[in-house]
Amino acid sequence: MMRFDNAVVETTLIPLYMRAKESRREDAILKDPLAERIIAGIDYDFNGLDNAPMSYMGCVVRGRYYDGRTQKFIHEHAQPVVVSIGCGLDTRYQRVSDRRNAVFYELDLPELMDLRRKLIPEEGEDHYIEGSLLETDWLDMLKERHPGAQFLFIAEGVLMYFTEEQVRGLLTAITDRFAEGEVSFDVCGPLMVRRGIRPDSMRDFQAQIRSGVESGWEVEAWNPRLHLIEQRSYMEFFRGRWGLMGQTLGRFPRLCRKFSSLLCFRIA
């Protein structure tokens, strides 16, 4: 059994556990048998996460949504390259059913990639990169390695822990290097930043929400090369599974955006 005592590593276990928990349901929104197997081999007290219903549904809905965006991108492009920024212990490569000729890359900090290699060894066309999203050398490497390819960059559950300046820097670094493709990421709303609200799964963690976006049009104003494809609320999906609070909030999309959103942009 594997033990954990690193706070940064512990946060990566949250979405993994939520996906594994959901995957065991007969009516699962998202099936993730690999997450189930990994969680079964980890010596960690997950009881606290069973009292985080909003994060549970958020992780599951977010994973399902970006799985769908990934599958759509692969179907629509001849040379798709899918890059997971701050991948942690994500298992999208294993979950996407039709990868065709797509190439996948997983990026995260060295200590997290060391753990990932132990739990999720590299396989097939899924390649690992050690680095920070604040650096640009990995972007240069990808551009050089795949000339003429179409890139989908996904930052799932990551960018809200960075400042607006850092997020803008990452998006500029991407659009400066790639003439086409898509960028997808989830955001917390400004209300969470102003009031210091944390997701219910993070109440016992030190990580803080450092940036918030209410409208995808704000991102277009930051970077004219990013064109909003869509902005979706978590609670518009699988509304019957959200409980009373989530179902009530889901009736007010503009209010939902003050808390969180799923965003997709086209590089143009």
Side-chain angles (χ1 to χ4, degrees):
M1 299 286 281
M2 188 171 290
R3 297 176 184 273
F4 300 89
D5 58 6
N6 182 305
V8 176
V9 171
E10 282 185 316
T11 62
T12 70
L13 296 177
I14 296 172
L16 181 74
Y17 176 72
M18 300 307 193
R19 295 196 310 271
K21 181 178 177 180
E22 176 68 16
S23 185
R24 292 192 290 265
R25 292 177 59 113
E26 291 187 6
D27 62 343
I29 294 170
L30 178 149
K31 283 292 186 181
D32 196 337
L34 178 56
E36 292 184 60
R37 293 197 297 272
I38 295 172
I39 289 297
I42 291 177
D43 182 13
Y44 186 82
D45 183 7
F46 289 103
N47 289 332
L49 297 182
D50 288 329
N51 298 315
M54 299 297 282
S55 290
Y56 169 57
M57 279 301 296
C59 288
V60 171
V61 166
R62 183 179 68 196
R64 168 72 177 264
Y65 176 74
Y66 285 125
D67 283 0
R69 293 296 316 181
T70 299
Q71 191 74 85
K72 185 175 187 294
F73 188 87
I74 290 172
H75 281 194
E76 292 178 349
H77 295 86
Q79 300 180 59
V81 178
V82 181
V83 184
S84 179
I85 300 172
C87 61
L89 297 174
D90 186 59
T91 54
R92 177 158 292 114
Y93 178 81
Q94 289 78 16
R95 296 196 307 268
V96 171
S97 59
D98 183 5
R99 298 191 291 266
R100 300 192 180 189
N101 63 330
V103 179
F104 284 66
Y105 285 92
E106 318 288 346
L107 170 80
D108 218 319
L109 299 172
E111 61 267 32
L112 292 174
M113 295 310 289
D114 286 344
L115 173 63
R116 183 180 177 88
R117 286 190 171 93
K118 293 175 183 177
L119 296 177
I120 312 174
E122 288 178 82
E123 62 172 301
E125 288 299 327
D126 194 22
H127 309 285
Y128 294 180
I129 307 172
E130 294 183 4
S132 167
L133 62 83
L134 302 179
E135 300 166 352
T136 58
D137 53 344
W138 58 275
L139 286 167
D140 295 326
M141 178 275 291
L142 290 174
K143 183 178 180 181
E144 181 178 351
R145 185 175 292 183
H146 298 281
Q150 301 84 44
F151 283 81
L152 168 61
F153 296 92
I154 300 177
E156 184 178 344
V158 175
L159 297 189
M160 65 283 295
Y161 300 112
F162 291 84
T163 66
E164 180 180 311
E165 181 181 4
Q166 290 170 325
V167 175
R168 289 192 189 204
L170 169 65
L171 298 177
T172 298
I174 291 173
T175 58
D176 281 352
R177 287 164 175 78
F178 299 94
E180 58 180 320
E182 294 182 9
V183 182
S184 292
F185 54 94
D186 57 301
V187 294
C188 289
L191 184 64
M192 295 188 70
V193 181
R194 289 197 301 268
R195 299 194 177 182
I197 302 173
R198 294 184 183 182
D200 51 7
S201 61
M202 300 290 290
R203 288 169 182 161
D204 296 328
F205 293 83
Q206 295 301 312
Q208 294 184 341
I209 306 299
R210 303 179 69 190
S211 62
V213 174
E214 184 170 342
S215 170
W217 303 116
E218 296 174 43
V219 179
E220 282 200 4
W222 298 349
N223 190 321
R225 292 203 55 212
L226 290 176
H227 292 226
L228 183 65
I229 297 173
E230 65 178 9
Q231 177 172 4
R232 307 294 294 271
S233 162
Y234 285 76
M235 294 162 194
E236 67 183 88
F237 299 101
F238 307 99
R239 188 168 291 173
R241 289 281 308 276
W242 278 96
L244 181 60
M245 179 179 177
Q247 291 179 43
T248 302
L249 277 174
R251 298 177 182 275
F252 304 96
R254 293 184 64 182
L255 178 60
C256 287
R257 292 181 181 184
K258 294 182 181 296
F259 291 94
S260 59
S261 292
L262 301 160
L263 300 175
C264 301
F265 298 88
R266 180 176 297 107
I267 302 173

